[in-house]
Amino acid sequence: MQRSLSNEGLQAKMAADSRAMLTAEAVLGLDSNVRSSARVYIQSTTFWLVVGLTVLFAFRVALMMYLPLADTTEARYGEIARQMVTNGLWLMDHMDPATPFFAKPPLSTWVSAVSMTLFGISEFTARLPALLVSIVSLAIGVQFAKALGVRNKL
């Protein structure tokens, strides 16, 4: 007797669930194939990889915005870019208006200075060009892998 009651309860629950699914499908305009393919995609590794990378990217951008320039090298090149913007000394890198800096070619400093000119002087704008170059390098690497036929099934 107990077993038949549980089977009846289970059947009633399944009927209620199917009515709810039909209602959701009617509201959203989804058929069962779309629903099942969305469920498979959410369960796939690619979906979670994209979600994880998005979270890491957001975390990285937040750290870029709120942390000061910590390393002495990062602070030095950020200061050189700031000097370019504030003093207008774009041809040659300067630690301050009287001290030239010849230890590194100026291209990366110029790019950071342009970022500071466009978006204002901050730690974030000093770091932004490096982030953008990293993203472009990653995209180029993916394109090379596709062109060479390198595939890794996720």
Side-chain angles (χ1 to χ4, degrees):
M1 187 78 165
Q2 176 102 13
R3 187 171 198 168
S4 66
L5 286 176
S6 65
N7 283 342
E8 289 173 2
L10 181 61
Q11 288 175 353
K13 183 176 180 342
M14 287 174 57
D17 286 346
S18 67
R19 283 192 300 268
M21 292 299 267
L22 290 174
T23 305
E25 288 173 358
V27 169
L28 297 174
L30 299 176
D31 62 355
S32 61
N33 292 334
V34 172
R35 190 177 68 242
S36 65
S37 65
R39 184 177 298 134
V40 168
Y41 181 70
I42 289 174
Q43 292 173 350
S44 74
T45 307
T46 306
F47 173 78
W48 291 111
L49 180 65
V50 169
V51 168
L53 289 175
T54 303
V55 168
L56 286 175
F57 180 75
F59 187 67
R60 175 64 181 146
V61 170
L63 287 176
M64 285 174 55
M65 289 173 27
Y66 296 113
L67 290 180
L69 299 174
D71 185 18
T72 57
T73 304
E74 185 182 33
R76 181 184 315 119
Y77 296 131
E79 175 61 17
I80 291 170
R82 190 189 69 79
Q83 288 289 332
M84 282 184 177
V85 173
T86 57
N87 297 329
L89 302 170
W90 287 81
L91 187 57
M92 185 180 356
D93 294 349
H94 284 79
M95 289 296 293
D96 57 53
T99 310
F101 182 76
F102 297 113
K104 184 178 179 183
L107 182 61
S108 64
T109 311
W110 286 339
V111 174
S112 292
V114 167
S115 174
M116 287 182 180
T117 301
L118 293 175
F119 303 113
I121 297 173
S122 70
E123 288 88 359
F124 178 75
T125 56
R127 293 174 174 143
L128 183 62
L131 178 68
L132 296 177
V133 167
S134 298
I135 292 170
V136 169
S137 298
L138 180 64
I140 290 171
V142 167
Q143 292 301 318
F144 272 125
K146 284 182 181 179
L148 294 174
V150 177
R151 291 186 55 97
N152 187 8
K153 183 104 174 146
L154 293 177

